[in-house]
Amino acid sequence: MFRWRDPRASLTAGAAIGAAGVAAALLAGGPALSIGVVAGFLAAMLGAASLLLAAGRPPDSRATALGMRWMGAGSVAWAFGVAVRPLTDNSTLMVSFADLLVLLGTVLIGGGALIAGGRRPPALVVLRNVTDSYLCAAALFVIGWVVALRHLYDNTADPALFTFAMLPPMLALLVTCAVVPSVVTGRAAALPLGVAGLGVLAATTVFSLAGAVARLDGGGQPGWSLVLAPAAFLLLAAVPWAGPGEVQARPFLGSLIALVPLGLVAVATITLVVHLTGGGREAPVTGVVVVAASMVLLLLLRLFVLSGVNLRLRTLLSRGEKQLRDLAESTGDVVLICDYDGTVREIGDGVEETYGYRPEQLVGGSILDYIHPEDVPRIQSSLHAMGLDEEDDDEPGACLIACRVRAADGTWRPTESVATRHASGEDQILITTRDVSDEEALRNQVAHLTFHDGVTGLPNRAYFEERTREVLGGSGHVAVIFLDLDGFTSVNDSVGHASGDYLLGQAARRLRGAVRPDDTLARWGGDEFAVLMETGGDAQLAVDLAERLLRAVSQEPFRVADRDVALTGSVGVAFAEEDVPAGDLIRNADVAMARAKELGGRRVEVFAAQMHADVVRRLELAADLQRALIEQQFAIEYQPVVDLATSRVTAVEALVRWCRGSVYVPPDEFLGPAEDTGLIVPLGEWILREACHEVAAWRAESWDIGLSLNLSARQITAPRFVQTVAEALEESGLPASALTLEVIEEMLVEDADEIVKRLSELRALGVRLAIDDFGTGYASLAFLRQLPVDMIKIDPSFVSGLGQDDTLTLLTRTIVRLGHDLGLIVVAEGIERPEQLDLLREMGCTRGQGFLVARPMAARGLDSLRQTSLTV
């Protein structure tokens, strides 16, 4: 469907009116030649207009647009040649001006079809196409001569007149034959236009030939010959406006076109031979003899050229094979030629260097004799398949073969071979073989390293996880044991990572000796090991193995860097349950191991569901802690510390409180996770700054009061902790002597050097130091001598037994006396009963705190205690 402004509308209307006029003229009995000439002129001009209009559009290809212009110009020339032909029929010239115009139009149309194809073939291909077109035209002329033209020639008085009359159609035939190969092998998008152009060339050739015959015999031109050209031009006019269609690839047409000249020559030869043997004894015509002789000479010339090309190709092929063989053997490959049964026909010298065989040992034998028996059926199948596919051009004719080959020393070498059909076309196969023993060894090494630990040689985490999934799929009675070496970090820090790796190797050997042959022992990572065992339903087997593993690493010290290193272990055991995946089973064992470590190590813990719930709860708590720190959900309460002699408040201890939403969270539940996650550092800084500001404000109002804060190990060892304390004192204006920082004895034992160094730096600032929970540690007296401590705080466990337990009473009295002798302030914690307070006063304890004295309270609650004493 198109609009009237579309050029196709006027062209279609013109074609319809012209066709209707031609049909009406023929039905009315008008002269056929005149009608044919008018129809040809109009159709050619219509075609020219269509092509030139289409060429003016934005072209899909410049070659297509240029080809349309050439074909349009040719159509115009042909139209005018046909139009003036009736005026020159009575001319005495053997080739008229009209014939020249028609011939020019034919050449231009053929050139346009060639240009639209868009291909520029090499010079040799052009030469071959020219010779093929001449052979086709000559063969068609010979066939036409034998069938009809010889009779016309006999009836012509002047042979020259026959020759010149036949010259234009023969030249048109030559142009048509020359265009066919380029159109067929050209661009797929230009095929419709090229085929339409070929149709015009064929129709105009027939038109010219019929006209020449009519001029020679004096008769009229057949009506059917007058219709072909107008129809072809109308088709040519319609093609540029057709929608783009999908044109299939035509790879077979190139080979088919190459056979057409030979086929036509063969038909012409047979026709001529049949004519001569059938009694045709006419005198030879010079022109026909020349044409036939030229065909023979061209065929001989082509045969000579093909022989030279074939020889050159064989030389290049031989040279290429030699270069390929030399190249393959220079890379260590072995090149051989065999038939489809595997019989060796030829083999390169590289086989002696690679496999130890001399070439003459193998030639004539079968390669199957040197291939591993397990690989022989597959090799035979591959060779047989290549033989069956020999005639299939779609098959690549090559395959990759991997097999094991026996070398002269009897070893089986892994090889990779590429087998291809031999280029000679004989029933032979060219095989290039490479010894890939080194590559195979490297692949095996990489596979081993992928699933094994490089330090201990044990299977690694990836292997253990895969093995656990595999065993769980076949058995439900499975246990996983996790073992962690307690204190291993200090080994790396003290003697270095190389010695630490050496210790891990020793531990792996001990553990390997403790497990059963069927158990899977792996290094999970760091200083952790994992064991997978099938219990057969007896859970005690797993527990017994866990205890053996613990004894293996704990009973004897490890010898590392000329010193003995004693380590212990924490072991966790988890049993497979129904519908528990491998990942969860491994996680459960890890959780049980972590639980054993939390309980002090050197023990075995069996996983219970509550352990996982505790871990999840701690993770959730850690996340909520971070959010609470950002949203400032924490608050500080202060517990008064009083002078037991005067009942006056002398200091307050800052205690952090957290309301998780509307739920109060006891400090014992969140301070541990805060220490584990490191959040205790920013939380402690916040408490320090807030409490310093609050106490400094009280002191500014003439209340002589001090501040006590508890410290954790992670806080003290934080990189900028000393600077943080100094900044908090400077920002708040609180004197350093009013701040007391408390540490527990265990901190002084676990990392003594670093802790003592940091506390000494704090003491240098003027800050007071106190030992909290005094009497419960292991090195209190020694550190009282090394560290400039100002205060000791008696642990509530001693105070709780006052008046009820004579031993605790005696120990408390001793601590108080020791503090007095050393000149230290002694503070009793956890005073809850009056008799405890009386005994402490009687012992001479300086200060105290507890629920009996005063409960922790917000800052506003302490305002009422200014300049007053508590009733205690």
Side-chain angles (χ1 to χ4, degrees):
M1 190 71 183
F2 45 80
R3 300 178 181 178
W4 289 108
R5 291 185 179 181
D6 195 325
R8 291 176 289 179
S10 57
L11 293 174
T12 304
I17 294 171
V22 171
L26 290 175
L27 291 174
L33 180 58
S34 300
I35 296 174
V37 168
V38 173
F41 176 80
L42 293 177
M45 293 302 292
L46 184 65
S50 174
L51 290 169
L52 294 175
L53 285 173
R57 297 179 304 174
D60 296 333
S61 168
R62 295 181 59 185
T64 301
L66 183 59
M68 288 182 180
R69 293 189 182 96
W70 275 61
M71 296 172 76
S75 299
V76 172
W78 189 91
F80 279 100
V82 170
V84 300
R85 173 170 285 178
L87 304 178
T88 60
D89 282 345
N90 299 324
S91 174
T92 58
L93 297 175
M94 289 178 287
V95 178
S96 65
F97 177 70
D99 293 329
L100 293 178
L101 285 177
V102 170
L103 184 58
L104 175 62
T106 302
V107 173
L108 290 175
I109 293 173
L114 290 175
I115 293 172
R119 299 289 173 85
R120 294 184 178 180
L124 290 177
V125 176
V126 173
L127 181 60
R128 188 187 65 187
N129 289 343
V130 170
T131 57
D132 286 348
S133 62
Y134 178 79
L135 289 174
C136 291
L140 291 173
F141 174 75
V142 171
I143 296 172
W145 174 265
V146 173
V147 174
L149 294 181
R150 61 188 177 87
H151 302 294
L152 185 62
Y153 178 80
D154 292 340
N155 297 329
T156 303
D158 186 0
L161 179 61
F162 178 86
T163 301
F164 282 100
M166 285 295 164
L167 185 59
M170 289 301 103
L171 291 176
L173 178 62
L174 182 63
V175 172
T176 303
C177 294
V179 171
V180 170
S182 297
V183 170
V184 172
T185 60
R187 294 183 305 112
L191 182 61
L193 183 62
V195 171
L198 280 178
V200 169
L201 290 175
T204 55
T205 300
V206 173
F207 180 84
S208 297
L209 181 60
V213 171
R215 290 168 62 187
L216 290 174
D217 64 7
Q221 188 168 343
W224 59 268
S225 65
L226 299 173
V227 177
L228 291 178
F233 275 109
L234 290 177
L235 177 63
L236 181 62
V239 166
W241 304 99
E246 183 178 353
V247 181
Q248 300 294 332
R250 31 188 210 285
F252 64 92
L253 288 181
S255 302
L256 183 61
I257 291 298
L259 296 176
V260 169
L262 299 179
L264 289 177
V265 170
V267 172
T269 303
I270 294 172
T271 303
L272 189 58
V273 170
V274 171
H275 168 65
L276 295 176
T277 56
R281 301 300 182 191
E282 297 89 347
V285 178
T286 303
V288 178
V289 173
V290 170
V291 171
S294 64
M295 290 170 53
V296 175
L297 288 176
L298 275 178
L299 287 176
L300 291 175
L301 179 60
R302 286 196 60 179
L303 181 61
F304 176 77
V305 172
L306 286 176
S307 299
V309 171
N310 189 32
L311 179 61
R312 180 172 175 272
L313 290 177
R314 284 182 177 274
T315 303
L316 291 176
L317 178 61
S318 178
R319 186 183 305 167
E321 286 184 354
K322 184 178 183 304
Q323 291 176 347
L324 177 61
R325 186 173 303 174
D326 294 341
L327 177 62
E329 292 186 352
S330 68
T331 60
D333 294 353
V334 177
V335 181
L336 61 102
I337 298 175
C338 67
D339 56 24
Y340 291 117
D341 295 329
T343 303
V344 180
R345 301 301 182 190
E346 185 179 351
I347 192 167
D349 296 334
V351 68
E352 185 171 2
E353 180 179 354
T354 305
Y355 295 103
Y357 298 109
R358 294 192 303 275
E360 56 269 20
Q361 291 180 265
L362 302 178
V363 174
S366 175
I367 59 173
L368 301 178
D369 296 338
Y370 301 91
I371 295 176
H372 197 282
E374 295 178 358
D375 300 331
V376 168
R378 181 165 47 85
I379 303 301
Q380 288 177 325
S381 175
S382 299
L383 295 179
H384 181 64
M386 291 186 67
L388 291 178
D389 295 338
E390 187 174 5
E391 301 300 329
D392 191 351
D393 293 336
D394 293 334
E395 293 293 328
C399 65
L400 179 65
I401 301 173
C403 64
R404 290 160 288 180
V405 174
R406 187 180 70 247
D409 59 3
T411 60
W412 292 102
R413 309 269 188 90
T415 64
E416 289 182 355
S417 305
V418 177
T420 58
R421 298 172 190 154
H422 198 273
S424 63
E426 302 175 3
D427 294 340
Q428 293 181 343
I429 303 174
L430 176 66
I431 300 177
T432 304
T433 299
R434 171 173 296 181
D435 184 355
V436 293
S437 300
D438 294 339
E439 290 86 342
E440 187 72 17
L442 181 60
R443 279 196 294 267
N444 293 336
Q445 182 180 2
V446 170
H448 178 81
L449 292 177
T450 302
F451 293 102
H452 287 77
D453 175 53
V455 175
T456 63
L458 296 175
N460 61 10
R461 176 174 180 169
Y463 180 89
F464 189 83
E465 291 175 338
E466 183 64 29
R467 177 63 179 162
T468 303
R469 285 191 290 269
E470 179 183 338
V471 173
L472 274 181
S475 173
H477 304 295
V478 178
V480 172
I481 303 172
F482 260 51
L483 180 143
D484 179 84
L485 297 178
D486 300 331
F488 177 77
T489 303
S490 61
V491 176
N492 281 336
D493 296 340
S494 59
V495 297
H497 288 275
S499 298
D501 291 344
Y502 179 70
L503 187 149
L504 289 174
Q506 294 184 58
R509 287 190 291 272
R510 291 189 187 183
L511 296 175
R512 191 182 289 114
V515 300
R516 304 177 305 178
D518 295 337
D519 299 335
T520 300
L521 171 65
R523 182 189 177 194
W524 185 254
D527 58 348
E528 296 182 2
F529 296 85
V531 179
L532 175 68
M533 67 176 301
E534 297 186 57
T535 64
D538 188 357
Q540 189 61 38
L541 288 176
V543 177
D544 293 343
L545 175 58
E547 293 176 348
R548 288 201 308 272
L549 296 175
L550 180 59
R551 288 194 298 270
V553 299
S554 304
Q555 278 186 341
E556 297 181 8
F558 295 91
R559 188 69 178 172
V560 179
D562 297 329
R563 68 181 70 180
D564 290 334
V565 177
L567 296 179
T568 60
S570 300
V571 185
V573 183
F575 296 96
E577 300 177 5
E578 188 176 358
D579 297 331
V580 174
D584 290 354
L585 176 60
I586 294 173
R587 179 206 63 200
N588 293 343
D590 193 12
V591 170
M593 182 267 294
R595 178 62 176 169
K597 203 172 188 68
E598 289 177 1
L599 295 176
R602 201 182 180 118
R603 61 187 296 150
V604 176
E605 284 290 324
V606 178
F607 174 79
Q610 183 61 35
M611 292 182 182
H612 181 245
D614 291 343
V615 171
V616 174
R617 182 179 57 81
R618 288 172 71 89
L619 289 175
E620 294 176 349
L621 189 63
D624 290 344
L625 273 172
Q626 191 167 13
R627 189 181 306 109
L629 192 61
I630 296 173
E631 297 176 357
Q632 297 184 352
Q633 298 178 5
F634 294 102
I636 299 177
E637 290 187 349
Y638 300 91
Q639 185 173 27
V641 178
V642 301
D643 187 327
L644 295 183
T646 64
S647 298
R648 186 177 63 85
V649 177
T650 60
V652 290
E653 181 177 359
L655 303 172
V656 65
R657 297 292 184 257
W658 179 29
C659 285
R660 195 180 184 184
S662 59
V663 178
Y664 173 75
V665 183
D668 292 343
E669 293 186 12
F670 70 83
L671 289 179
E675 177 78 10
D676 295 339
T677 59
L679 289 174
I680 193 66
V681 175
L683 178 60
E685 291 182 6
W686 177 80
I687 297 172
L688 174 65
R689 296 180 188 277
E690 292 292 321
C692 285
H693 277 287
E694 193 69 48
V695 174
W698 289 330
R699 292 179 64 88
E701 297 176 359
S702 302
W703 189 10
D704 186 15
I705 189 171
L707 171 65
S708 294
L709 286 174
N710 289 290
L711 298 181
S712 70
R714 180 162 285 192
Q715 281 180 277
I716 297 176
T717 56
R720 297 188 67 259
F721 179 68
V722 177
Q723 292 89 326
T724 300
V725 173
E727 291 171 0
L729 293 173
E730 183 179 358
E731 292 172 2
S732 64
L734 183 70
S737 59
L739 176 62
T740 302
L741 298 178
E742 304 177 6
V743 295
I744 59 175
E745 293 181 67
E746 286 80 357
M747 290 166 51
L748 301 175
V749 176
E750 292 176 359
D751 196 0
D753 295 339
E754 182 66 19
I755 296 294
V756 171
K757 176 184 175 183
R758 290 296 180 89
L759 292 178
S760 299
E761 293 176 358
L762 290 171
R763 193 67 179 83
L765 294 176
V767 175
R768 295 188 175 191
L769 300 179
I771 297 180
D772 197 13
D773 300 337
F774 186 82
T776 60
Y778 303 97
S780 301
L781 296 179
F783 280 101
L784 285 176
R785 179 177 57 84
Q786 297 178 15
L787 193 65
V789 176
D790 301 281
M791 181 185 301
I792 57 176
K793 304 186 75 170
I794 304 174
D795 188 74
S797 61
F798 292 100
V799 177
S800 64
L802 293 178
Q804 299 177 348
D805 188 316
D806 294 340
T807 301
L808 291 177
T809 302
L810 178 60
L811 288 174
T812 302
R813 188 181 301 277
T814 302
I815 293 173
V816 172
R817 185 179 298 116
L818 175 64
H820 288 167
D821 293 342
L822 294 176
L824 303 178
I825 299 174
V826 181
V827 181
E829 294 183 295
I831 303 175
E832 297 180 353
R833 301 192 309 274
E835 63 269 23
Q836 295 172 342
L837 179 61
D838 294 338
L839 283 172
L840 288 170
R841 283 174 171 168
E842 183 267 329
M843 294 175 186
C845 182
T846 310
R847 299 178 183 177
Q849 66 184 97
F851 286 177
L852 179 65
V853 177
R855 290 179 175 272
M857 62 189 72
R860 289 177 297 181
L862 285 172
D863 290 340
S864 60
L865 300 181
R866 296 180 190 178
Q867 305 299 331
T868 62
S869 299
L870 294 173
T871 305
V872 292

